[in-house]
């Protein structure tokens, strides 16, 4: 597999889609930071939180790269050539997984570096304990690897490049929008404060009433678990600053990675590549 990884990374540095996606991810995250700074200059006082706010943007460009990179293997017949010269399907699958995951980490590192360096030059500071900051970074890296594993499943099991691109992008939007919807549902308050007219014609607060939109019981537990386990839910929690169980999230990501890789590798071993 070492030779496959060397070939993948040699190809990676020459691939235009990699550099375009990397530069766009870096530029978009930095532009969002500068836009926020122009309205709220005090944001540089909490750079640690700001760094975590661009995860979904990076994931979008990672999905585009993964779809194009993996789809090219089929369109150019590269996978069949690798099999002909003696590489196993398992080696091919895992080498692509490592490559896509590495690109995800590179993209996040580039985006973080741009915001951190710019923020420090503007007189900013981390604004959170170092331990918490590194935990959030670990969560982001593990979630990036987990979502790369999902992209790898799509890219390795579908033979059409255009279909890979379409399904990968649609899946990315579904995951991110779904996470945002779940976050919104869980954020609904248990009670709502109403207003009523007083005897003298003024407006006063009424007694709190149960909120019909509040989710409780088993349904809340299920939605919370789904939002914690899925990489998109983890990114959304980091972006909104409402991380539910940070100590378990890297483990959840490893679980997603293991499950997706096991299923993907097993199906790929039986896939007809003719």
């Amino acid at each position: 597999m070492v030779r496959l990884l060397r070939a993948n990374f040699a190809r990676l540095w020459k691939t235009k889609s990699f550099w375009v996606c990397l530069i766009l991810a870096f530029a978009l995250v930095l532009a969002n930071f500068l836009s926020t700074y122009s309205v709220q200059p005090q944001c540089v006082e909490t750079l640690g939180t700001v760094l975590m706010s661009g995860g979904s943007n990076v994931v979008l460009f990672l999905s585009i790269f993964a779809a194009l990179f993996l789809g090219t293997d089929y369109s150019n017949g590269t996978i069949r050539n690798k099999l002909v010269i003696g590489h196993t399907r398992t080696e091919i699958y895992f080498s692509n997984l490592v490559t896509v995951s590495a690109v995800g980490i590179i993209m996040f590192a580039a985006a973080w570096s741009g915001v951190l360096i710019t923020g420090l030059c503007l007189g900013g500071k981390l604004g959170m304990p170092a331990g918490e900051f590194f935990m959030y970074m670990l969560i982001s890296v593990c979630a990036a690897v987990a979502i790369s594993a999902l992209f790898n499943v799509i890219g390795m099991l579908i033979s059409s490049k255009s279909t890979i691109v379409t399904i990968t992008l649609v899946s990315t939007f579904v995951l991110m929008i779904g996470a945002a919807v779940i976050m919104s549902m869980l954020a609904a308050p248990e009670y709502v404060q109403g207003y009523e007219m007083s005897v003298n014609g003024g407006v006063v607060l009424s007694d709190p009433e149960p909120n019909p939109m509040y989710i409780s019981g088993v349904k809340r537990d299920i939605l919370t678990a789904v939002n914690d386990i899925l990489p998109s839910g983890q990114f959304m929690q980091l972006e909104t600053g409402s991380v539910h169980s940070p100590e378990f999230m890297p483990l959840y990501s490893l679980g997603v990675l293991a499950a997706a890789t096991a299923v993907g590798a097993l199906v790929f071993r039986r896939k007809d590549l003719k």
Side-chain angles (χ1 to χ4, degrees):
M1 195 174 78
V2 174
R3 287 194 299 165
L4 286 173
L5 287 173
R6 287 177 179 173
N8 275 359
F9 281 100
R11 170 187 161 201
L12 179 67
W13 310 131
K14 300 176 183 178
T15 302
K16 291 182 180 179
S17 60
F18 165 69
W19 293 107
V20 170
C21 290
L22 177 63
I23 292 171
L24 289 177
F26 173 87
L28 182 57
V29 172
L30 182 58
N32 285 343
F33 166 65
L34 293 175
S35 177
T36 302
Y37 175 75
S38 66
V39 179
Q40 299 176 318
Q42 66 272 21
C43 72
V44 296
E45 298 298 316
T46 55
L47 284 178
T49 301
V50 175
L51 282 177
M52 301 298 127
S53 65
S56 57
N57 293 324
V58 177
V59 169
L60 173 61
F61 289 106
L62 174 60
S63 69
I64 295 173
F65 162 78
L68 295 174
F69 186 83
L70 298 173
T72 301
D73 271 0
Y74 280 109
S75 62
N76 291 348
T78 306
I79 288 183
R80 287 193 296 271
N81 293 337
K82 291 176 180 178
L83 291 172
V84 169
I85 63 176
H87 295 294
T88 66
R89 294 190 182 213
T90 300
E91 290 175 336
I92 295 171
Y93 189 93
F94 277 90
S95 64
N96 284 344
L97 171 61
V98 171
T99 303
V100 175
S101 299
V103 170
I105 295 173
I106 291 171
M107 285 186 175
F108 271 96
W112 287 336
S113 298
V115 173
L116 186 60
I117 293 173
T118 304
L120 291 176
C121 290
L122 293 172
K125 55 185 179 181
L126 203 56
M128 65 170 60
E132 182 180 2
F133 174 66
F134 286 114
M135 172 58 74
Y136 286 173
M137 289 185 70
L138 177 62
I139 292 172
S140 295
V141 169
C142 291
V145 173
I147 206 164
S148 295
L150 298 178
F151 296 153
N152 198 56
V153 171
I154 298 171
M156 297 301 293
L157 300 187
I158 300 175
S159 303
S160 169
K161 183 177 181 178
S162 59
T163 304
I164 292 174
V165 173
T166 301
I167 294 180
T168 301
L169 289 178
V170 170
S171 299
T172 301
F173 283 113
V174 169
L175 285 171
M176 300 310 296
I177 293 174
V181 170
I182 292 175
M183 288 284 292
S184 177
M185 294 170 66
L186 293 175
E190 187 173 0
Y191 295 95
V192 291
Q193 188 77 61
Y195 298 88
E196 59 184 19
M197 298 294 294
S198 65
V199 292
N200 59 5
V203 179
V204 296
L205 295 175
S206 62
D207 294 332
E209 299 179 355
N211 182 5
M213 300 301 293
Y214 179 75
I215 298 174
S216 60
V218 176
K219 185 177 180 181
R220 187 175 189 85
D221 293 337
I222 292 174
L223 288 177
T224 300
V226 169
N227 205 41
D228 287 347
I229 293 171
L230 289 179
S232 55
Q234 296 185 20
F235 285 126
M236 199 60 62
Q237 290 183 55
L238 289 171
E239 291 186 12
T240 58
S242 55
V243 181
H244 179 253
S245 53
E247 66 278 9
F248 294 113
M249 285 185 175
L251 298 178
Y252 294 148
S253 293
L254 292 177
V256 172
L257 169 64
T261 302
V263 172
L266 180 62
V267 177
F268 180 68
R269 288 179 61 183
R270 301 179 180 181
K271 179 179 172 59
D272 184 3
L273 298 177
K274 296 181 179 179

